[in-house]
Structures are given as structure tokens and as C-alpha cells.
Amino acid sequence: MADNSLSNIKKLLKEVRHPFIDSTLFELGFFKSIEKKNNKLIIVLAFPFENIPIKDQLIALVKEPLNKLNLDIKIKITVMNQKELQNFLNKEQKNWIG
């Protein structure tokens, strides 16, 4: 059976890379919270701004490594606060690969 412990889930999510920025989503500050209750996983993703064009692609990238863990995955969306956004923009500018 796959290891669906919270520590393993976080380990898997720390590997998820942004498609256009040479950084992980973790490094860019996308993960606001990760909670596991029994067989349910709730992930809150913070996007730099509302309606980003690759929202669905990023959600799919987050879910992909978790698919084999047999969990009920719920993704909630929020927007980065000003400090988180500034951190994201700095890393985006430095690591942009387009």
C-alpha cells in the first residue's frame, strides 16, 4: 500500500515544479496549507492573482503525484497576500524559463 502519511504527501508535493519558472511550487509559496483527516486531503493553494491562465494545469500538477495514494483530494484556492506575492514575483523574475 502506498504511503499516504502527511510527511510523505509533503515530500511528494515539494517536488512539483512550475511549468514556466525554474522552481517548485513549494519554493514559490503556492502551498498555503496541507491537511489530512483520515482519507481526506485538503490543500489550499495560493495563486499570485485571481484567474491565472494556467490554474487548471497547476492543480493537475499538484494532484498528479498524489493519485496513487487513494485519497479524497480537495483543492481550495486563495490569493497570495502582498508579502507572498512579492516573494513569488522576485523568484519568478529570477528563475523565469518561459
Side-chain angles (χ1 to χ4, degrees):
M1 187 170 156
D3 178 3
N4 66 4
S5 66
L6 189 56
S7 61
N8 188 53
I9 290 165
K10 287 181 178 180
K11 185 177 150 200
L12 291 170
L13 292 176
K14 284 181 179 180
E15 301 295 316
V16 178
R17 300 196 70 76
H18 192 285
F20 303 113
I21 304 169
D22 188 22
S23 297
T24 66
L25 296 186
F26 223 92
E27 292 166 332
L28 293 168
F30 276 82
F31 291 99
K32 196 83 161 169
S33 69
I34 303 166
E35 284 181 55
K36 183 174 179 274
K37 294 178 183 165
N38 301 322
N39 208 36
K40 187 170 193 141
L41 183 64
I42 302 166
I43 300 172
V44 179
L45 291 177
F47 288 127
F49 41 87
E50 289 185 52
N51 303 320
I52 67 168
I54 63 167
K55 176 180 128 183
D56 292 339
Q57 183 181 1
L58 292 174
I59 290 170
L61 287 171
V62 167
K63 285 183 172 181
E64 186 180 338
L66 305 174
N67 285 338
K68 294 183 181 101
L69 299 183
N70 200 24
L71 293 168
D72 177 17
I73 302 168
K74 176 137 178 75
I75 306 271
K76 296 181 179 181
I77 304 297
T78 188
V79 178
M80 292 177 179
N81 65 35
Q82 201 55 47
K83 184 179 177 189
E84 292 164 340
L85 178 61
Q86 196 55 56
N87 181 49
F88 168 81
L89 292 173
N90 290 341
K91 288 182 176 163
E92 176 191 43
Q93 186 175 19
K94 186 176 147 197
N95 298 323
W96 181 257
I97 52 176

